[in-house]
Amino acid sequence: MIDQPTPVLDIRQVSKTFAGNVHAVCGVDLTLQRGQLIALAGTSGCGKTTMLKMINRLEDASGGSIFYEGRDIATLDPIELRRSMGWVMQGDGLFPHYTVAENVAIIPRLLEWDGPTTSARVREMLELVRLDPDIYAGRYPAGLSGGQRQRVGFARALAGRPDLLLMDEPFSALDPITRDGLQQDVKALQAELGFSALMVTHDMAEALIMADIVAVMRAGEIVQAGTPAELLRAPADDYVAALLETPRRQMRRIRELEG
């Protein structure tokens, strides 16, 4: 019998209840294999971001278990856990009083890398996100465009060589052309660096384009998880079908315009 590789994430019957008996997440099961990108998709308030926050213990689960690289995260130091994962938030989340280089260097410095190693990594990451370090390293976030700031955000998230990247609506604040270009660059970065990723999005077209697996959430539950082709071919219910209708309608309209 061939041993199966340990999943990067193994989420088992995880739930989250807030004060007032508000059930934000209810019995979620999800497995993220190495090198995969999973999109958590659904309407606002369905539990996507709460699920993401439980993975790096910004929120603790009320029930169930989350295993990261085979280890129960409840047994791990939350600060060390967060430093082992990359995090890209909605907007860029950069420190405005830090230069670009200082922002990217945050995790390597917290991990106590030496100066030359940190500097080399900062330069490498800026080059990977297509920002010339000779031009951008000394700038401050206020002097960058939205797309450039988000590229710095990705460079910072990946600087510590994490196996897992968590992304909370990472492209939502960008204009369509910048958004499309950065989406393609992130997929190229994933292929080059080999990290796994979990992305929260309310944009079903983005989920279909970016993800290997799309997990659709409603009222704290995953109602369907599968490849983009599987969801398009056989949506589980009317809710999933309605989420898919927007990208379908856009595709139909484009075909009509093309004649």
Side-chain angles (χ1 to χ4, degrees):
M1 183 175 178
I2 299 174
D3 291 336
Q4 295 297 315
T6 301
V8 175
L9 274 179
D10 189 7
I11 299 169
R12 304 177 186 176
Q13 284 295 294
V14 166
S15 62
K16 178 64 179 180
T17 303
F18 291 104
N21 205 32
V22 176
H23 300 285
V25 175
C26 310
V28 164
D29 290 307
L30 192 65
T31 300
L32 175 66
Q33 301 293 348
R34 195 165 304 280
Q36 276 188 331
L37 192 159
I38 293 181
L40 289 175
T43 56
S44 297
C46 69
K48 306 184 299 295
T49 296
T50 300
M51 188 65 249
L52 202 70
K53 288 180 177 179
M54 286 191 286
I55 292 168
N56 71 357
R57 295 189 60 188
L58 288 173
E59 297 281 357
D60 283 323
S62 303
S65 301
I66 300 173
F67 293 87
Y68 174 50
E69 303 282 13
R71 298 177 296 169
D72 187 341
I73 66 168
T75 68
L76 305 178
D77 178 84
I79 294 176
E80 295 300 319
L81 176 68
R82 290 173 202 137
R83 290 177 183 174
S84 73
M85 299 176 179
W87 177 274
V88 182
M89 63 187 68
Q90 187 173 6
D92 52 72
L94 301 180
F95 293 105
H97 56 293
Y98 282 11
T99 65
V100 165
E102 289 168 339
N103 268 285
V104 176
I106 287 172
I107 295 301
R109 286 176 176 166
L110 289 172
L111 295 173
E112 299 183 345
W113 293 11
D114 62 58
T117 301
T118 297
S119 296
R121 183 60 173 173
V122 168
R123 188 173 188 87
E124 177 187 9
M125 291 313 305
L126 290 177
E127 289 172 347
L128 281 172
V129 298
R130 296 201 292 162
L131 292 174
D132 186 337
D134 294 329
I135 297 174
Y136 293 99
R139 293 189 182 180
Y140 288 87
L144 305 177
S145 70
Q148 289 167 345
R149 289 195 299 271
Q150 199 68 340
R151 288 178 184 277
V152 176
F154 275 101
R156 181 179 64 180
L158 294 168
R161 300 190 179 96
D163 288 332
L164 176 62
L165 185 65
L166 302 176
M167 301 183 283
D168 187 10
E169 301 278 6
F171 311 105
S172 62
L174 303 176
D175 66 81
I177 293 176
T178 302
R179 182 174 186 159
D180 178 66
L182 190 51
Q183 287 171 346
Q184 294 181 53
D185 286 346
V186 170
K187 288 297 289 180
L189 278 173
Q190 186 185 20
E192 181 171 347
L193 300 178
F195 59 85
S196 309
L198 191 66
M199 177 180 72
V200 162
T201 181
H202 66 270
D203 186 332
M204 184 57 79
E206 179 172 88
L208 296 172
I209 291 167
M210 293 283 294
D212 301 297
I213 300 293
V214 180
V216 180
M217 294 190 71
R218 176 183 60 203
E221 299 179 342
I222 291 180
V223 295
Q224 186 174 6
T227 66
E230 288 169 342
L231 266 66
L232 287 166
R233 184 168 58 248
D237 59 18
D238 290 344
Y239 172 74
V240 179
L243 291 176
L244 291 167
E245 181 55 29
T246 296
R248 287 184 188 277
R249 185 171 57 250
Q250 290 170 340
M251 288 188 290
R252 287 196 298 267
R253 181 58 178 152
I254 289 170
R255 292 193 189 103
E256 290 170 1
L257 291 170
E258 289 176 335

